[in-house]
Amino acid sequence: MPLRPRVVLSRRWPGRAESLLAEDYEVISNAPDQPMSASDMREALRTADAFCPTVTDQVDAGVVGAPARRARILANFGAGFEHIDLDAARRLGIVVTNTPDVLTDCTADLTLALILATARGVVSGDRMLRAGDWAGWRPTHIPGVRVGGKTLGLVGFGRIGRAVARRARAGFGMRVRVFGPRPLADEEARELGVEVCADLDDLLETSDFVSLHCPVTPVTQRMIGEPQLKRMRRGSILINTARGALVDEQALAEALRSGRLAAAGLDVYAREPEVSAELKGIDRVVLLPHLGSATRETREAMGMRVKENLDYFFAGKEPPDRVA
């Protein structure tokens, strides 16, 4: 009986997804479920046929270029792949795949959840009640802002941005304005019911809510800094479910303290799992621990998408989600 390919997982997967993967592969799971060091990842590449990192693993050139490397594929558990040095992988002939599509809807759902939570003081109200500080209903208690009919600006308009736009328009009657690296044709914009902004400043100056939905690149890193925050409407709200490095967190904290921004809802951070102490000290910030894809159905589907890419690769076929 031929040996099954050995696959190393950098973190634990949902039980069902791990079990199904183990039916066809020799799976080396991360039992402690702690982040792997660069040395651990290099060892995985030396001892396995495939390595499955997640979006929080920094698979740089030093990791990819592990001496005596055995692995020929990096099957990423996640849609984003900025954490993998694709140029190094290409030079060494290593295939890289990701898991697009399957996390679109739940990330869009979480974006709307953060919009509602920040606009309506959901977290502040919960804290007050649990602390025993609620003295009963009164007309001036935690006044939020309406979401319906407001303007939502989407920075980046890929799969997730479009899913957010559909929810915002159909569910809350929001006016949706978009800006992204790929120009949107007028006809397509009309079909989607969105307005295309001339530039980022145009979007920031006209939106009540600004939500980020783009990858981190040399161009987009810290794209929301002090100048951009000053262009946002006074009392507006920033939402980030994309990547923490898109935002200058110190500048964001200052914009919140000064009152220019009413609130912020964040699911991602520049130095995860570290979260800025300044942001943690501001009550008007809703902080989540990177839950964008965290539904049982989605995390299982991500695992199955990884397995599908591995199945194609080890059958000598082109993986459907190859990015390098």
Side-chain angles (χ1 to χ4, degrees):
M1 180 177 181
L3 293 176
R4 297 184 299 170
R6 173 179 285 188
V7 177
V8 172
L9 311 184
S10 75
R11 299 300 293 263
R12 292 304 305 268
W13 286 10
R16 179 172 177 270
E18 273 197 23
S19 296
L20 290 172
L21 186 68
E23 290 180 3
D24 296 314
Y25 299 92
E26 179 190 353
V27 177
I28 310 300
S29 184
N30 182 345
D33 203 20
Q34 296 296 317
M36 294 178 73
S37 66
S39 176
D40 292 334
M41 289 189 282
R42 285 192 292 269
E43 181 64 15
L45 289 169
R46 282 193 290 265
T47 59
D49 300 293
F51 177 53
C52 300
T54 69
V55 294
T56 60
D57 297 312
Q58 294 305 309
V59 189
D60 57 23
V63 171
V64 174
R69 173 183 49 81
R70 170 177 164 183
R72 296 179 293 128
I73 179 171
L74 298 172
N76 187 55
F77 188 100
F81 44 84
E82 309 96 297
H83 56 292
I84 299 173
D85 190 324
L86 298 184
D87 289 336
R90 292 188 186 100
R91 285 197 304 270
L92 294 166
I94 301 173
V95 171
V96 182
T97 62
N98 69 337
T99 62
D101 303 323
V102 292
L103 48 73
T104 297
D105 284 333
C106 65
T107 304
D109 289 347
L110 192 78
T111 300
L112 267 294
L114 282 172
I115 289 173
L116 289 168
T118 51
R120 297 302 307 274
V122 170
V123 175
S124 298
D126 179 80
R127 288 176 186 151
M128 176 177 286
L129 191 145
R130 291 176 186 274
D133 296 333
W134 184 44
W137 184 91
R138 62 184 186 275
T140 58
H141 188 217
I142 310 183
V145 296
R146 290 183 59 182
V147 172
K150 295 294 177 65
T151 299
L152 170 64
L154 300 176
V155 182
F157 200 55
R159 295 184 184 92
I160 296 172
R162 291 174 187 230
V164 171
R166 289 194 297 271
R167 286 158 171 76
R169 289 187 62 253
F172 298 95
M174 300 184 83
R175 174 190 181 195
V176 179
R177 311 199 76 218
V178 305
F179 171 73
R182 291 185 291 274
L184 195 65
D186 291 342
E187 182 179 350
E188 187 177 10
R190 284 194 297 271
E191 290 175 357
L192 295 169
V194 302
E195 303 170 20
V196 179
C197 294
D199 51 34
L200 179 59
D201 288 346
D202 179 19
L203 182 142
L204 297 175
E205 292 167 357
T206 57
S207 300
D208 301 297
F209 298 86
V210 173
S211 187
L212 308 182
H213 300 283
C214 45
V216 175
T217 68
V219 173
T220 63
Q221 188 165 18
R222 293 165 72 95
M223 68 184 301
I224 304 297
E226 182 181 1
Q228 292 74 31
L229 292 164
K230 284 183 175 178
R231 286 191 175 275
M232 290 177 66
R233 284 181 172 178
R234 180 166 291 277
S236 59
I237 293 173
L238 178 70
I239 305 294
N240 188 8
T241 57
R243 291 289 181 267
L246 297 172
V247 178
D248 181 333
E249 293 177 347
Q250 184 174 353
L252 173 60
E254 179 55 37
L256 288 160
R257 282 195 298 265
S258 71
R260 168 159 290 280
L261 265 62
L266 308 176
D267 186 45
V268 289
Y269 310 92
R271 295 174 296 279
E272 292 184 19
E274 178 186 343
V275 179
S276 163
E278 289 184 283
L279 291 174
K280 287 194 287 188
I282 301 173
D283 286 341
R284 291 173 291 112
V285 183
V286 177
L287 303 171
L288 297 180
H290 206 144
L291 297 178
S293 64
T295 65
R296 181 181 63 254
E297 298 90 343
T298 295
R299 293 282 169 86
E300 288 182 354
M302 291 167 71
M304 297 315 298
R305 194 75 172 237
V306 173
K307 183 179 184 300
E308 181 181 10
N309 283 299
L310 292 173
D311 290 345
Y312 271 74
F313 178 80
F314 286 111
K317 302 176 183 177
E318 180 72 6
D321 302 314
R322 182 171 181 170
V323 296

